[in-house]
Amino acid sequence: FDDIASNITLIGRVIGEDEAAKRLSDEMRGRIHRALERVPNKSGPRLRALSYTHGGNTAGEGTLFDEILTSVGMTNVATEQGVRGFGKIGREQLAAWDPEVIISGASPGEVENVLRQMMEDPVIAATTAGQTNKVIVIEFPTLLTVSHHIAGLVERLVEELYGSDERHDADGSSG
């Protein structure tokens, strides 16, 4: 997350909006911090999660996705299996790796369709993630962001994995 904050600071400096950039960066860091406070048992066993698309794309070590998974208390199965950066895996690997959580993306408005297609896939359905309904599909603009909007992705994953935060209303404001 530090790279994103540094980029916000740099852009703010370039356009003469240092204070606005600091506020935006601080807001992002605060939202991430509050979301991560809700991750239970940070020292216990971690859920094994995998990013996966029907094309077999995944994200391993050294990716922002890997950093996010680690921060929300999960082990990135792709990293665990030696994937560095972005790669492709076969369906056999998906079955053998048997993730407890599968995270995928969809175009805006297509989340339900992609989730249905994934759950109808016999390989995905046979994984622990499929058997326990831990297949999470997130719209690409949220899943693939490399801006301050990353806070929304962290919040969404924490909510999907650990439940909503009773301290916040449905709109996300404190209540």
Side-chain angles (χ1 to χ4, degrees):
F1 308 118
D2 290 339
D3 286 345
I4 293 171
S6 294
N7 287 338
I8 292 169
T9 301
L10 176 62
I11 291 169
R13 187 176 320 124
V14 168
I15 66 171
E17 293 289 342
D18 294 348
E19 287 303 313
K22 181 178 181 341
R23 281 191 306 274
L24 186 60
S25 180
D26 288 349
E27 177 190 344
M28 176 194 77
R29 288 179 188 271
R31 287 176 61 195
I32 290 170
H33 177 77
R34 286 187 299 278
L36 296 181
E37 284 181 331
R38 295 174 36 217
V39 175
N41 195 16
K42 293 177 180 140
S43 62
R46 295 172 158 263
L47 286 171
R48 296 176 63 253
L50 180 71
S51 67
Y52 182 79
T53 65
H54 270 295
N57 298 304
T58 193
E61 183 179 344
T63 63
L64 181 58
F65 187 80
D66 186 54
E67 181 180 349
I68 292 167
L69 286 184
T70 300
S71 72
V72 299
M74 292 188 276
T75 296
N76 186 345
V77 177
T79 297
E80 180 182 77
Q81 296 296 325
V83 175
R84 308 286 180 257
F86 296 96
K88 282 190 168 247
I89 62 169
R91 295 166 56 73
E92 302 81 14
Q93 287 170 300
L94 174 62
W97 294 356
D98 191 27
E100 296 170 293
V101 178
I102 295 173
I103 301 166
S104 192
S107 297
E110 291 296 315
V111 168
E112 293 300 320
N113 289 334
V114 170
L115 179 60
R116 181 183 42 74
Q117 291 169 2
M118 291 185 78
M119 293 305 292
E120 290 173 354
D121 180 315
V123 174
I124 292 172
T127 65
T128 300
Q131 293 293 308
T132 59
N133 291 316
K134 288 289 187 189
V135 176
I136 301 168
V137 180
I138 300 171
E139 288 188 351
F140 287 129
T142 300
L143 183 64
L144 303 178
T145 188
V146 291
S147 74
H148 62 285
H149 295 293
I150 201 75
L153 175 58
V154 173
E155 290 166 338
R156 170 79 187 278
L157 287 174
V158 169
E159 182 175 328
E160 289 279 346
L161 295 166
Y162 308 114
S164 64
D165 184 358
E166 297 82 31
R167 297 174 299 174
H168 289 81
D169 297 327
D171 66 358
S173 62
S174 294

